Amino acid sequence: MIDQNKLKSNMRNAFFELISNIPAYSYGQILETVSLKMQDLLQVQLAAIYTYNNWEQTYERVTEDIHSILKEQPFKELNLEKVMQENVQYADLVFKEPSNLKSQIIFLNPKVDPGAFLFLAYQSDCDFDSGVLELSKDELENLLTIFNYYISTKENENRNAYLVELTTKFYSLITKKNILTEITKAMDTIYPLFEYNILLSQDYEEDSSLPIKTLEFSDDATKRVSNQAFITGEVQLEDRVKEKKTCLYAPLKGKQGVYGVLLIITQNTVDFPRNEIEFIAKLSGIAGQAIESATLYQNSKHLVKDLKLLNDATHALNSNLNIVEITTIVRKKIMEACGAGQVGFIFTGETQSHMINVLSGSTEYFFTAEGEDNADFILNQVMQKNDPIFSGDYSKELSDFPFLSIMAIPMVQAGTIHGVIIILQQKKYAFSFDNFKLMQSLVQHFTLSLTNSILNEKLKAVAITDYLTKLFSRNYLEEKIQQHLNNDEKGALIIVDIDDFKVINDTYGHDVGDEVIIQVASIITAHTGEDDVPARWGGEELAIYLSNATIDEGVHIATQMRKQTENFTSPKVTISCGVSTWESKRKTDVKELFVRADKALYAAKNTGKNCVVKEEINNLV
């Protein structure tokens, strides 16, 4: 029979020695030493302490292997979960017959986790009274409480030191990718047996070398849990019953917001300890703040870059450029800022076959039939909704559309939509919201510059264009002829007069007279080449300068116009034409060229009208 007082004294002496030298032992060494002490004090064949492993949800022995001792005496399996649920403090392990050993389990519930039990194996003729078992239980629980507290405190110190080290490392990094790389290294170090993913929003360029996934929003149960962690900024737990796994969702939370979710997946269903959840929350919080810091730094760099881009663009757009120059500058800025694949400047206004104008400076796609059709559709969508379009997957709106990412920003001036700038990329979610905001600012500057340029061009056109015939004015004709005299080798001038025009006005009225002038002007325009200049000379007199034309070519063109006028005007009229020419080998000026053409016209009138006369040659043509 064991003396309980002596046993208590011996236990405390032995345990005090262990407690006094805790730093010198590992946890396994402590449990091994305690097991050997109990084996000696209780005079049993074997004493072994098993501690509860929360991750594996089972008891494990942290001492040396016992199978060599018990292999000759295998025992029936004990349902520990059932024993724990029934709050049994002691349990017998029944060995298979024949056996001369008996066994006993003493469950230990220290005030600091983990829980444990003491396994005893002893001769069948030996027995313990309840006092010995109670004493052993109380002393071991007190000892394990001290050991566990020390171990957990030491572990917390080590983890806190690790977090400080990790914080220093995180804050030395200035790119999100480098921070995410360090997070994966930390997870591989701390939880090598767990799966994990970093769930981020769609504006992050995915790196296939990192376990990164897009944070998706839907009604799916799993996605709802990740969304809950993202929205609330609190750790969420989920047991996947079918997969027999537990998922922990820790928000990557900074001071200004949540930037993603760290998803940890265990190999089996576990009950995460409170201190483990707190540690993971601290880890994800540090990572979130580092991501926030890097994001703010990168945003500040982008902001400086964007402001410089806007400043450069505004400076260029305020330089009285024409439409082609303006669109070319803005297209380059757009492609530089957001890596666009195609950029289209779509202006409202009716052309010959479409209700849109694709402005010069647009990329090649918008000058194809497909590009024009799709641009027309997008413009109508913008105008109907009176809102811009910003989409990372536009395939749902426009089938067979070869571009998934789109920004369509209206050109608004004085409350009126004048068109839209369409920015396209083939990849999904190619544009960030920051890209979109920058483009909106750029389009505002562009629209003002474009409308001013169009107004200026209209004013210039009014200044050099005859209001009735839409031909150029006499002053503009003289300016262009002077330029050709300075740069070309030759040219021809035709002055046209409508025969008996006063009779038309007197017979039909001035409105019909104006219509006749317009008809003749249209015939002249039809014979105009790219470098030629048709103009209204004054009243019923019109003119056309033919660039690099000889006298014979001028006579030929004039003859064609005379014939078409006679055949295709209503009421029918005829014209008389005088043709003059110049060559570089013979110096001349604008006034002289007009005087010679006018003399030829005078000769044509005196010859009988409805004819063409070339300078200094009074022959009918």
Side-chain angles (χ1 to χ4, degrees):
M1 182 69 68
I2 297 176
D3 185 335
Q4 293 186 31
N5 290 328
K6 184 177 180 180
L7 175 63
K8 182 176 182 179
S9 175
N10 290 337
M11 279 186 181
R12 290 190 172 183
N13 289 335
F15 293 168
F16 179 78
E17 183 180 348
L18 286 174
I19 293 172
S20 301
N21 294 283
I22 287 181
Y25 297 97
S26 68
Y27 193 59
Q29 289 173 331
I30 288 174
L31 295 181
E32 173 70 13
T33 303
V34 172
S35 298
L36 292 175
K37 289 287 184 182
M38 292 302 296
Q39 184 174 309
D40 182 52
L41 292 171
L42 296 177
Q43 301 174 12
V44 295
Q45 270 63 39
L46 175 68
I49 296 177
Y50 286 74
T51 58
Y52 187 70
N53 184 327
N54 189 74
W55 300 118
E56 299 293 335
Q57 290 192 313
T58 186
Y59 284 89
E60 294 178 343
R61 188 182 181 201
V62 193
T63 54
E64 63 184 10
D65 187 22
I66 65 170
H67 291 298
S68 59
I69 299 174
L70 297 181
K71 65 181 179 180
E72 300 298 333
Q73 307 290 343
F75 53 86
K76 293 180 181 179
E77 183 177 354
L78 178 67
N79 189 335
L80 294 177
E81 290 185 5
K82 184 173 184 297
V83 172
M84 292 175 65
Q85 290 170 1
E86 294 176 355
N87 197 27
V88 175
Q89 299 301 314
Y90 311 101
D92 291 325
L93 285 178
V94 182
F95 287 89
K96 291 181 179 179
E97 298 297 338
S99 174
N100 61 348
L101 288 179
K102 293 174 65 178
S103 62
Q104 183 81 43
I105 284 180
I106 303 175
F107 280 95
L108 307 172
N109 300 300
K111 295 178 181 178
V112 179
D113 289 336
F117 68 78
L118 174 66
F119 171 79
L120 302 175
Y122 50 90
Q123 295 292 335
S124 57
D125 57 355
C126 179
D127 205 354
F128 298 104
D129 60 36
S130 60
V132 170
L133 294 178
E134 286 288 350
L135 175 63
S136 300
K137 175 179 172 63
D138 290 343
E139 294 300 323
L140 284 173
E141 285 180 343
N142 290 335
L143 179 66
L144 288 180
T145 296
I146 296 172
F147 285 159
N148 290 350
Y149 177 79
Y150 173 81
I151 295 298
S152 64
T153 301
K154 193 69 176 176
E155 186 177 83
N156 286 336
E157 289 177 357
N158 292 337
R159 285 194 164 187
N160 288 333
Y162 180 75
L163 288 177
V164 171
E165 179 186 344
L166 205 58
T167 302
T168 304
K169 183 178 292 186
F170 279 166
Y171 279 93
S172 68
L173 304 173
I174 59 174
T175 67
K176 188 185 291 187
K177 179 180 178 181
N178 288 341
I179 293 172
L180 295 172
T181 301
E182 288 302 324
I183 293 174
T184 61
K185 289 180 180 178
M187 290 300 299
D188 290 339
T189 300
I190 304 169
Y191 303 112
L193 300 179
F194 291 170
E195 299 177 43
Y196 63 91
N197 291 114
I198 304 172
L199 310 179
L200 298 176
S201 58
Q202 65 188 32
D203 62 350
Y204 177 76
E205 294 183 9
E206 292 188 14
D207 185 339
S208 58
S209 66
L210 299 175
I212 294 172
K213 291 185 177 181
T214 301
L215 184 63
E216 299 181 9
F217 297 88
S218 76
D219 291 333
D220 179 84
T222 296
K223 293 171 185 174
R224 284 203 303 269
V225 178
S226 60
N227 295 342
Q228 191 71 11
F230 183 79
I231 294 170
T232 65
E234 301 293 336
V235 174
Q236 304 291 323
L237 288 167
E238 172 198 20
D239 285 328
R240 297 182 180 177
V241 179
K242 291 184 179 179
E243 302 175 35
K244 295 182 179 179
K245 294 183 178 182
T246 297
C247 297
L248 183 146
Y249 300 85
L252 300 169
K253 182 169 64 173
K255 294 181 179 179
Q256 297 184 9
V258 179
Y259 299 88
V261 174
L262 175 62
L263 167 60
I264 300 174
I265 307 171
T266 64
Q267 292 181 326
N268 49 25
T269 303
V270 302
D271 183 14
F272 273 90
R274 181 175 56 82
N275 65 327
E276 203 69 34
I277 294 175
E278 291 175 354
F279 172 75
I280 294 172
K282 288 180 181 178
L283 172 64
S284 63
I286 291 170
Q289 291 181 32
I291 291 173
E292 181 176 77
S293 178
T295 301
L296 292 175
Y297 174 75
Q298 294 299 325
N299 285 347
S300 66
K301 287 184 63 179
H302 283 305
L303 182 59
V304 172
K305 182 180 178 182
D306 291 347
L307 290 174
K308 184 177 184 305
L309 183 145
L310 283 175
N311 182 62
D312 292 345
T314 303
H315 179 75
L317 293 175
N318 289 337
S319 303
N320 295 321
L321 304 175
N322 61 39
I323 294 175
V324 176
E325 292 170 327
I326 290 172
T327 53
T328 300
I329 288 172
V330 173
R331 184 195 69 219
K332 289 180 179 178
K333 294 295 182 184
I334 290 174
M335 300 187 85
E336 172 189 336
C338 56
Q342 300 286 341
V343 179
F345 301 90
I346 314 303
F347 205 72
T348 55
E350 190 172 1
T351 64
Q352 291 181 352
S353 57
H354 300 283
M355 289 301 294
I356 63 171
N357 286 323
V358 179
L359 300 183
S360 299
S362 302
T363 50
E364 64 275 6
Y365 172 75
F366 292 95
F367 293 101
T368 65
E370 177 191 352
E372 284 196 23
D373 288 343
N374 289 333
D376 194 19
F377 174 85
I378 293 168
L379 173 63
N380 288 332
Q381 290 288 102
V382 170
M383 297 190 74
Q384 287 173 12
K385 297 178 180 178
N386 199 31
D387 273 323
I389 296 173
F390 176 53
S391 174
D393 186 2
Y394 200 61
S395 59
K396 299 173 184 177
E397 298 290 335
L398 190 57
S399 59
D400 299 325
F401 191 49
F403 302 95
L404 294 174
S405 295
I406 176 175
M407 293 186 284
I409 303 170
M411 294 183 277
V412 181
Q413 181 67 19
T416 302
I417 296 179
H418 295 281
V420 65
I421 293 182
I422 302 173
I423 306 167
L424 304 174
Q425 180 56 268
Q426 290 181 322
K427 297 189 302 181
K428 276 187 177 183
Y429 306 110
F431 305 128
S432 68
F433 188 66
D434 287 337
N435 291 150
F436 178 59
K437 291 188 292 185
L438 175 62
M439 291 303 101
Q440 284 185 306
S441 298
L442 183 59
V443 169
Q444 286 180 354
H445 292 281
F446 167 79
T447 303
L448 179 60
S449 181
L450 179 66
T451 52
N452 287 340
S453 178
I454 291 173
L455 179 60
N456 288 336
E457 291 189 12
K458 285 182 178 180
L459 291 173
K460 289 178 182 178
V462 169
I464 64 174
T465 304
D466 174 62
Y467 77 97
L468 178 65
T469 62
K470 307 309 177 191
L471 301 179
F472 291 111
S473 66
R474 177 172 176 171
N475 288 339
Y476 182 76
L477 175 64
E478 291 178 352
E479 289 177 7
K480 295 301 289 185
I481 291 176
Q482 185 60 58
Q483 292 177 14
H484 285 286
L485 289 173
N486 294 336
N487 300 318
D488 296 348
E489 296 294 324
K490 57 184 179 294
L493 173 64
I494 305 170
I495 296 180
V496 178
D497 184 77
I498 302 174
D499 297 328
D500 302 317
F501 184 71
K502 186 176 183 301
V503 175
I504 296 294
N505 278 338
D506 293 343
T507 304
Y508 300 101
H510 289 282
D511 288 342
V512 174
D514 288 346
E515 181 60 32
V516 168
I517 294 174
I518 293 172
Q519 291 178 46
V520 176
S522 297
I523 292 171
I524 291 175
T525 302
H527 290 81
T528 302
E530 183 178 352
D531 293 326
D532 300 336
V533 186
R536 188 176 184 185
W537 179 250
E540 70 273 18
E541 288 185 331
L542 310 173
I544 179 172
Y545 177 80
L546 304 174
S547 175
N548 284 307
T550 63
I551 188 68
D552 290 336
E553 290 171 336
V555 169
H556 175 73
I557 294 295
T559 301
Q560 293 298 315
M561 293 191 302
R562 182 192 66 78
K563 291 178 180 179
Q564 289 190 15
T565 300
E566 185 176 16
N567 294 324
F568 298 108
T569 52
S570 177
K572 180 179 178 180
V573 295
T574 61
I575 59 173
S576 298
C577 303
V579 184
S580 64
T581 188
W582 70 275
E583 294 180 355
S584 59
K585 60 185 179 182
R586 188 180 70 175
K587 294 292 182 180
T588 189
D589 57 27
V590 176
K591 183 178 180 180
E592 180 189 350
L593 190 63
F594 272 100
V595 168
R596 288 192 272 115
D598 196 42
K599 285 182 179 179
L601 174 62
Y602 183 77
K605 287 287 190 180
N606 289 336
T607 305
K609 303 175 183 176
N610 192 21
C611 62
V612 176
V613 173
K614 60 184 178 182
E615 61 176 329
E616 300 178 359
I617 302 174
N618 294 325
N619 296 327
L620 295 179
V621 180

